[in-house]
Amino acid sequence: MQGSAQPSIRQLGVAAPCRSRRSLVCRAASGVKEVTLLDYGAGNVRSIRNAIKHCGWTIKDVKSAADITSADKLIFPGVGAFGAAMESLEQQGYTQALKEYIKADRPFFGICLGMQLLFDGSEENGGCEGLGLIPGQVTHFDKSKGLPVPHIGWNDLIQKHPSTLLSTVGDRRVYFVHSYHATPSPENAEWVLATAEYGGEFVAVVQRGNAYATQFHPEKSGAAGLDVLRSFLEPEVVAARPAPEATSNGRPRGLAKRVIACLDVRANDNGDLVVTKGDQYDVRETASTGEVRNLGKPVELAGRYFDEGADEVTFLNITGFRDFPLGDLPMLEVLRQASKGVFVPLTVGGGIREFTDGSGKHYSALQVAAEYFRSGADKVSIGSDAVYAAEEYLANGGKKAGGTAIEQISRVYGAQAVVVSIDPRRVYVAAPGDTEHLTVKTSKPGPNGEQYCWWQCTVMGGREGRDVDAVQLAKAVEDLGAGEILLNCIDNDGAGQGFDIELVDAVSSAVTIPVIASSGAGTPEHFSEVFQKTKAAAALAAGIFHRREVPITAVKEHLNSSGIPARTA
Ligand code: 1PR
């Protein structure tokens, strides 16, 4: 047992399956640090691979049920939808081997869906049976409670009893991203090691004997997550360490408001990929050279923001609308390199759409996104293509066509993997009747004293305005299956005068998915303002972080001291 007061399954009297003792003895004796990974091919497991390697371990992939049976330690990062995962396990003949492995109290670590699958079943996909090892059903978060769903971000754990697995976490938050959850009950109490709170208590970590599983993602939970992973891989080393000191004396608890660093990336005139940043989307120097502003190298900057405590890092390939992203090998390489050392979620945007190349070969948006996921992205962000999809949806009276990039990617990778990036511009009108779009009465009147405005969506990085407003777009893409909105604002971009509170309020009140406020941050107070006055779940900034004008830690400290939960360690 790994330092737990809980009885192991073996102690509970379940027989171990037959397994070669020789392989165990040989590998342990030779000191090989090898863990077996059950990747049933449903999606991106690059992050967990990177995290395992970072901990100094090598990976053996499961290729047959026998590999499960003979594993010394097994990690199961569930990806995708519950029903598809169960079907895939069944088809590949893994179900029985997996059940027997866990019942025999062999070292097991399930992640996210890899935890949910241990339960009796889930209401996802209209109801499916799970592995039936833990009593209880997995259910959808209740949207009527007014909290954004998916539950995305860094939340506190409520530990129920001591365990080596969590002994090094202390009071640091960990990263969750899910729409479904299991609920603690008297029937599953012996399994529940920790819960978390999101409109009610849900199961965050389970353990029985040597079987562990987390709803959160250790591979995306920064240093705290890597410590959890090490605790599973090397419990004897971790058990000998002193407990970490509390870092959060008196801080606000619960789901933290996220602070995201954004890297606008494009090739400069010499063809080098650089992080750039403009004002109102103009990224060229105004001086006579007219060169693309160069604010650093993408991989280096992403690493710096991880070290400085960014909750997520976003890469926007800002000329992706005109280049074919799969021909953009440097950007894919940026992701591959960045994901090796950045253990918080990575989003990539720009050019996510279907494409036919010069030779007539057609690539679906799903194939484009899949390549980004394989290269290390956790989420893709769709800009222009989402506007076209929403236009089609609105023209069809709110009917879904089924084939849009949002729908395709969401269906395969889950809503939480699909962000829609909105690039709106303010349009002023004298009276609400002057436009068919929903207007708000603004506290910042227009150039001719107009009292009302709406926000026009644009495509191709603000180059073309479309006849759809930001609120319409947000509602449409939520229905199409997007899991999050990245809400930029062309008027405020780079100005350092604060977020467009009226815009963020209008959009975040209109949808039930999380909204990331973006554009205009200049001071830590701008972050507290957007969180106090709107329902934004996260706030993103670029210029102030690139130019080192405001450290991320200063933003977080300010938020916490203003009573707004922020992750500081
Ligand atoms: O249309 O799917 O190819 O996606 C293109 C993506 O590139 C979109 O997400 C779009 O927002 C982005 N993009 C296109 N052109 C630009 C540009 O700046 N010329 N950048 C651009 C968008 C906005 C934010 C920026 C915040 C914070 N940049 O990403 O980082 O405004 O800045 P601040 O804190 O300095 O104010 P597609």
Side-chain angles (χ1 to χ4, degrees), residues 262 264 277-278 281-283 316-318 320-321 349-353 381-385 421 423 460-463 486 488-489 492-496 518-521 540-544:
C262 182
D264 288 357
K277 186 68 211 63
Y281 285 28
D282 181 359
V283 298
L316 293 177
N317 186 355
I318 66 171
F321 66 88
I352 312 282
R353 64 180 194 286
S381 161
I382 306 175
S384 307
D385 196 70
S421 165
D423 297 312
M460 297 186 282
R463 286 167 180 79
L486 164 50
N488 300 299
C489 171
N492 289 27
D493 175 55
S518 166
S519 307
L540 171 152
I544 54 167

Side-chain angles (χ1 to χ4, degrees), residues 74-270:
L74 181 67
I75 295 186
F76 179 33
V79 182
F82 196 102
M86 280 305 294
E87 222 170 85
S88 174
L89 288 177
E90 195 58 42
Q91 271 168 9
Q92 295 179 66
Y94 294 164
T95 316
Q96 200 51 30
L98 187 56
K99 276 170 133 171
E100 284 176 2
Y101 181 92
I102 297 169
K103 280 185 181 166
D105 196 27
R106 313 296 317 290
F108 171 84
F109 194 144
I111 299 171
C112 195
L113 185 64
M115 182 198 89
Q116 296 184 358
L117 291 167
L118 304 181
F119 282 79
D120 286 332
S122 169
E123 66 179 21
E124 193 175 356
N125 307 120
C128 319
E129 265 188 37
L131 294 169
L133 297 166
I134 308 180
Q137 288 293 319
V138 173
T139 55
H140 199 269
F141 277 112
D142 184 357
K143 284 191 173 188
S144 68
K145 292 187 175 164
L147 293 167
V149 179
H151 168 233
I152 299 182
W154 300 77
N155 209 337
D156 284 305
L157 292 173
I158 305 161
Q159 205 173 324
K160 300 297 178 183
H161 55 81
S163 161
T164 305
L165 189 80
L166 301 179
S167 65
T168 52
V169 175
D171 52 6
R172 290 176 290 177
R173 289 184 173 91
V174 288
Y175 184 81
F176 293 86
V177 48
H178 55 128
S179 299
Y180 292 83
H181 69 285
T183 307
S185 70
E187 290 72 38
N188 58 34
E190 69 166 319
W191 275 93
V192 177
L193 173 56
T195 60
E197 173 69 35
Y198 195 62
E201 228 178 330
F202 68 87
V203 178
V205 188
V206 295
Q207 177 193 3
R208 203 155 90 167
N210 289 314
Y212 298 89
T214 59
Q215 179 62 69
F216 67 85
H217 287 263
E219 76 283 15
K220 288 286 144 191
S221 295
L226 293 173
D227 281 344
V228 171
L229 210 51
R230 276 190 206 101
S231 301
F232 170 69
L233 295 170
E234 297 172 22
E236 56 294 337
V237 177
V238 171
R241 280 199 216 149
E245 276 179 32
T247 54
S248 62
N249 299 337
R251 65 154 166 82
R253 292 184 64 80
L255 183 68
K257 296 289 185 180
R258 284 169 285 152
V259 175
I260 300 174
C262 182
L263 283 68
D264 288 357
V265 178
R266 62 161 288 171
N268 66 12
D269 299 321
N270 301 324

Side-chain angles (χ1 to χ4, degrees), residues 507-525:
V507 172
S508 63
S509 306
V511 291
T512 62
I513 53 179
V515 171
I516 303 165
S518 166
S519 307
T523 65
E525 288 72 22

Side-chain angles (χ1 to χ4, degrees), residues 17-20 64-72 97-98 100-101 106:
C18 64
R19 173 172 177 275
S20 154
S64 69
D67 291 331
I68 296 177
T69 310
S70 66
D72 291 344
L98 187 56
E100 284 176 2
Y101 181 92
R106 313 296 317 290

